[in-house]
Amino acid sequence: MKETLKNIEKEALNHLSKTSDLKELDQIRIKFLGKKGELTKVLRGMGKLPKEERPIVGQLANEVRGKIEEELEKIKGELKNKEKLIKLEKEKIDISMPGKEKLLGHRHPLLKVKEDLENVFMNMGFDIVEGPEIETVHNNFDALNSPENHPSRDLSDTFYITDNILLRTHTSPVQVRVMKQRKPPLRIVSAGRTFRFDDVDDTHSPMFHQLEGLVIDKNITMANLKHTIDMFIKEIFGSDMETRFRPHYFPFTEPSAEVDVSCFECKGKGCDSCHGTGWSMELLGCGMVHPKVLENCGIDPNEYSGFAFGLGIDRIAMVKYGINNIRLLFDNDMRFLNQF
Ligand code: PHE
């Protein structure tokens, strides 16, 4: 019996020294120490031994169990450690590897200016609305009190799709849509594309962008118009900018004005870029909404009055960023766009 125990110990330790993974280790434990294991078998047979031998064999059996258990634990620890190292090795991050560059895009300068403008007006309580680029002749001209023989209606200025449908020549038809759809008080701005049959040069493009503003309420006067324009110019270009209103003619406003702003280069002193005048010219057209236009849109001119303005977003972007050629805004040359 002692012999058997010794053999079990030897065999178990031999097996253990050869194991290389935890699963195998567990199988060895079951084989030798488990309920039906070899050692248990021996202990079961102890009843057959003479009484005096039993304690001696029992002690030996315990020693063998102890030794096997001790070795098992030791190897288990080692294997676990090894597994952990392998896992760590696998998960290692090489911090010297070059990273992947993330390319972040940015807004087109025109879109930036458009959003800046919209934000200024939103902060003044204006709603942002949209209108279609394809319009009716009625909304683009007739409802806006544009006389039948007005030169802007000319085939050479306007892209007609049919006799009654055209590409809008300005954003002003949005005024008509809003006045017909909503009841005063109204305070809206609307930005978007506009089209005129212009030859392309440094400052002209057949497609350009405007932002339209419209305010209708009781007791709206020219003073409200001047204050709103002055405030928005200062907000966009800086508080040291001045505005100047020059009388002008638009069929849909009366009185009408064009607005100049202090020259961006010299801030009004007079320099080459403003031809010594101190002013950047024709940034914006505006006026008090013509009573006939109000009438055309179902608003009583005896009860309500209002003002409207339209500005060239491309022009504003050009003076703001010192761009001297409008084509740069539409060419999508990355060397140009990456500067913004
Ligand atoms: N629609 C005019 C233009 O395109 C600008 C304008 C808008 C003028 C609103 C007055 C009032 O030139």
Side-chain angles (χ1 to χ4, degrees):
M1 201 134 216
K2 282 183 197 162
E3 204 55 18
T4 322
L5 284 171
K6 276 282 164 209
N7 276 340
I8 290 176
E9 179 185 325
K10 225 166 100 192
E11 210 190 325
L13 294 184
N14 187 28
H15 268 79
L16 283 174
S17 70
K18 286 181 195 150
T19 42
S20 57
D21 73 81
L22 287 165
K23 235 182 180 170
E24 210 182 314
L25 199 73
D26 206 44
Q27 278 160 6
I28 296 173
R29 184 186 58 76
I30 294 168
K31 180 170 156 62
F32 291 99
L33 306 180
K35 265 188 193 159
K36 292 175 186 164
E38 314 241 338
L39 198 66
T40 322
K41 256 189 245 163
V42 174
L43 290 176
R44 287 225 178 93
M46 270 199 0
K48 288 178 197 141
L49 287 178
K51 232 181 185 175
E52 59 279 11
E53 270 188 43
R54 281 182 209 161
I56 301 166
V57 175
Q59 198 191 343
L60 188 63
N62 276 340
E63 272 172 31
V64 168
R65 171 181 288 276
K67 266 193 197 153
I68 297 176
E69 271 175 351
E70 197 183 311
E71 189 65 13
L72 232 139
E73 279 311 304
K74 199 181 105 197
I75 291 182
K76 196 169 171 180
E78 281 170 14
L79 286 178
K80 275 206 169 142
N81 232 354
K82 221 158 107 192
E83 245 175 34
K84 201 158 104 191
L85 285 177
I86 289 171
K87 198 166 160 221
L88 283 177
E89 188 64 29
K90 258 199 222 151
E91 289 172 2
K92 199 160 99 177
I93 294 170
D94 181 356
I95 54 166
S96 68
M97 290 251 287
K100 283 187 193 139
E101 194 187 354
K102 283 238 159 61
L103 288 175
L104 256 195
H106 62 79
R107 291 271 196 265
H108 189 284
L110 258 185
L111 192 57
K112 241 196 233 171
V113 170
K114 172 189 171 247
E115 287 177 353
D116 286 351
L117 291 168
E118 285 177 343
N119 278 334
V120 170
F121 285 108
M122 268 202 288
N123 288 339
M124 291 193 213
F126 283 70
D127 272 356
I128 311 272
V129 302
E130 293 208 30
E133 291 167 8
I134 297 172
E135 258 297 0
T136 58
V137 172
H138 177 81
N139 284 348
N140 194 85
F141 290 129
D142 302 328
L144 287 169
N145 197 37
S146 172
E148 285 285 346
N149 56 358
H150 195 270
S152 67
R153 288 197 177 215
D154 206 321
L155 277 172
S156 63
D157 280 333
T158 305
F159 291 104
Y160 283 92
I161 295 171
T162 68
D163 282 350
N164 301 317
I165 310 278
L166 45 67
L167 293 181
R168 66 179 177 187
T169 60
H170 50 179
T171 41
S172 299
V174 181
Q175 290 183 37
V176 177
R177 288 175 175 272
V178 170
M179 283 190 274
K180 282 187 172 169
Q181 272 163 20
R182 304 189 189 182
K183 292 221 165 342
L186 299 171
R187 228 185 294 168
I188 61 102
V189 287
S190 182
R193 268 187 267 215
T194 47
F195 307 85
R196 279 179 211 174
F197 209 106
D198 266 328
D199 283 335
V200 180
D201 65 22
D202 284 357
T203 53
H204 291 89
S205 154
M207 189 276 291
F208 55 105
H209 300 78
Q210 284 192 337
L211 180 129
E212 191 81 10
L214 174 73
V215 172
I216 307 278
D217 204 347
K218 288 178 178 160
N219 304 318
I220 296 290
T221 68
M222 191 97 184
N224 300 122
L225 166 61
K226 282 193 76 172
H227 177 71
T228 304
I229 300 290
D230 197 60
M231 232 170 76
F232 121 77
I233 292 289
K234 287 185 162 62
E235 199 67 43
I236 285 284
F237 296 118
S239 52
D240 52 346
M241 296 303 260
E242 303 281 340
T243 48
R244 175 173 83 173
F245 288 66
R246 266 182 301 102
H248 198 74
Y249 170 76
F250 297 105
F252 34 91
T253 45
E254 182 59 37
S256 305
E258 261 189 344
V259 181
D260 305 327
V261 178
S262 316
C263 171
F264 296 84
E265 294 288 330
C266 62
K267 303 275 176 213
K269 288 190 204 75
C271 66
D272 278 353
S273 90
C274 60
H275 307 293
T277 62
W279 296 97
S280 287
M281 308 286 275
E282 296 174 25
L283 238 54
L284 193 150
C286 62
M288 302 307 292
V289 180
H290 198 293
K292 273 206 185 137
V293 174
L294 292 175
E295 243 166 43
N296 289 343
C297 300
I299 292 174
D300 181 358
N302 295 316
E303 196 181 353
Y304 289 103
S305 57
F307 64 79
F309 54 89
L311 54 88
I313 300 178
D314 320 75
R315 270 282 278 148
I316 302 248
M318 286 170 76
V319 284
K320 182 163 174 156
Y321 294 120
I323 301 165
N324 54 17
N325 187 332
I326 194 170
R327 279 167 283 196
L328 287 167
L329 289 173
F330 307 128
D331 280 349
N332 286 336
D333 184 332
M334 291 311 280
R335 289 168 302 181
F336 168 74
L337 293 178
N338 282 337
Q339 297 174 56
F340 295 91

